[in-house]
Amino acid sequence: MDRVRIAVAHRGAGLSPVFAAIEGGFFREQGLEPEMVPYHGHPRSLAALLAGEVDFTNSVGGELILANLRHGGDAVVVASAISRSAQQVSARPGITSLERLRGARWGVTARGDADECAIVMAFERWGWDPGRDAEIVVVGADGPRLDLLLDERRVDAAIMHAPEPFQAAKRGWTLVEDLARLDVAVQNSCAATTRRMLEARPELVRRYVGAFCAGVHRFRTDPGFGIGVLRKYCGETDRQVLSDTWVLFARLMGGMMFPSLEGMRTAADLLRRVGAAPRLVRPEEVVAMEPLAALERERFFDRIMGVRSEA
C-alpha cells in the first residue's frame, strides 16, 4: 500500500468525494492508504499542499488559483465532482424573497473569497450592480462559520454551502435562491495535487483520481451510502438535513468528472473582477487532464458504472 496524505479543509459536504472514497474502500482498491490531515479552511489546506506537507486535497477552483498566486504554487485540478455554481442564498428571518435583498448586507468571511465571487456572479445574472446593490460585510473566521454568517445584527444574507442552508433553516433563516439554477460553469468540489507530484508519481495520481471518481459515482447513485457518509463525516444528525443535502449534491454531481476548463475560466475571471487576482489566469495553467484521460483509455468508467465488455 502507498500512503497518501490528504489535506481536509473542513467537514462539509463538499468533501464527500474523499469521504466516500474512504468509506467505499476505493482507495484501498487502488493500493492506497489514505491519511486525512485536518486544516482550517481551503487557504491553509492548499498552502500545505504547495509546501509538500500533503499529497492531495479537495478544493474549489477559485481558492486553488489564489493559492498558486499567493505562494508561487503549481497546484492543479485533476478531477471534478461538481463543475457548476452550487451555492445557495439564505436570508435572515423576515426576508423571504430575493428582491428584498437588493441593497442588503451580505456576509463573507474575507474579501475576495469564493463567496464574494459567487455574489458577483449571481448579481450579474440578476442584473444587479454589486457596488450599488450590496454591502459586503466581513464576518471573519474567528468562530464557527455558520454562527458568524447568521449574525442578524450584521448580516441580512449569505452564500451557503450544503448542509448550511438546511441548518440555517432550523434557525429561522430562509433559503431564497439556489445558484445552481443559474447553470453557470464554475469549478467547485474537485481533487487537486501539484505538477511536481504529477511528474514524480503519475501512476499514484492516476490511482488517486480513480478512487476519487469511484467515490463520486457511489455517493451520487447510492442514497443510503451517501447519506451515511454525510452523517459520519459532517457531524449532522438531523435526518431531513442529511437527506436534503444528499439530494442537492447527487443532483449537482451529474456532470462529467474531468476538470472544467470553462469552470476554471469563470473562477479566474471572477477573482480578477473582485480584485483578488492581479491577472487573468488561463485555465490550462491550473488543470491537468491526463490522469482522467488515462483512466478513460483503460475503460475505467465502464467498470465502475457496471458496463460489461463484449467477449
Side-chain angles (χ1 to χ4, degrees):
M1 288 281 182
D2 290 314
R3 184 170 67 95
V4 289
R5 298 162 299 168
I6 307 168
V8 176
H10 56 77
R11 290 282 181 153
L15 269 77
S16 55
V18 173
F19 304 147
I22 292 172
E23 286 301 296
F26 302 121
F27 284 121
R28 286 189 169 274
E29 285 183 5
Q30 294 286 347
L32 302 175
E33 181 66 39
E35 176 191 350
M36 291 194 295
V37 184
Y39 291 88
H40 183 66
H42 289 298
R44 292 180 182 176
S45 64
L46 284 160
L49 176 72
L50 295 175
E53 297 174 13
V54 295
D55 307 306
F56 299 92
T57 191
N58 205 83
S59 195
V60 293
E63 294 287 359
L64 183 144
I65 290 171
L66 282 178
N68 279 350
L69 292 172
R70 288 168 179 162
H71 304 290
D74 62 345
V76 288
V77 179
V78 289
S80 172
I82 298 174
S83 58
R84 314 300 292 177
S85 51
Q87 301 94 334
Q88 293 74 42
V89 177
S90 290
R92 63 172 172 79
I95 298 178
T96 58
S97 67
L98 182 63
E99 188 56 38
R100 288 192 58 191
L101 290 179
R102 198 164 189 165
R105 301 167 300 173
W106 291 72
V108 298
T109 57
R111 291 307 301 257
D113 68 0
D115 289 351
E116 185 174 1
C117 288
I119 292 169
V120 170
M121 179 273 293
F123 273 37
E124 180 179 85
R125 271 65 180 182
W126 297 334
W128 296 3
D129 182 340
R132 184 182 64 244
D133 295 325
E135 177 187 347
I136 303 297
V137 177
V138 178
V139 300
D142 295 328
R145 172 183 150 86
L146 198 57
D147 291 344
L148 294 169
L149 290 174
L150 299 188
D151 184 352
E152 298 172 33
R153 299 166 300 178
R154 305 175 63 194
V155 175
D156 299 312
I159 300 296
M160 296 281 161
H161 309 265
E164 289 176 344
F166 311 119
Q167 295 167 331
K170 293 171 64 178
R171 303 194 200 181
W173 282 54
T174 302
L175 197 165
V176 297
E177 189 63 33
D178 183 353
L179 300 188
R181 297 171 187 163
L182 300 176
D183 194 30
V184 177
V186 181
Q187 183 62 73
N188 271 287
S189 178
C190 57
T193 188
T194 61
R195 290 201 183 276
R196 285 167 293 156
M197 176 65 76
L198 271 172
E199 292 171 3
R201 304 196 68 182
E203 180 64 15
L204 184 141
V205 175
R206 183 195 62 76
R207 287 186 282 145
Y208 183 91
V209 168
F212 177 93
C213 292
V216 170
H217 177 68
R218 175 77 185 277
F219 181 89
R220 76 186 188 194
T221 57
D222 185 337
F225 173 80
I227 291 170
V229 166
L230 293 173
R231 180 185 296 109
K232 178 173 180 177
Y233 288 92
C234 296
E236 178 59 60
T237 59
D238 186 287
R239 174 73 186 189
Q240 192 60 57
V241 170
L242 291 168
S243 296
D244 290 345
T245 301
W246 178 81
V247 168
L248 174 68
F249 267 74
R251 174 168 56 85
L252 291 170
M253 286 177 172
M256 72 174 186
M257 297 182 200
F258 276 91
S260 171
L261 290 171
E262 188 60 30
M264 293 303 285
R265 186 175 291 110
T266 301
D269 179 60
L270 289 169
L271 288 171
R272 183 180 57 83
R273 289 169 59 188
V274 302
R279 66 178 180 87
L280 188 62
V281 175
R282 296 182 301 107
E284 293 80 7
E285 297 178 50
V286 285
V287 163
M289 297 286 192
E290 178 53 29
L292 251 172
L295 289 172
E296 194 168 49
R297 290 192 295 270
E298 297 169 10
R299 306 193 71 85
F300 171 80
F301 293 102
D302 290 21
R303 295 196 299 276
I304 68 169
M305 295 178 183
V307 176
R308 295 182 178 179
S309 300
E310 295 183 5

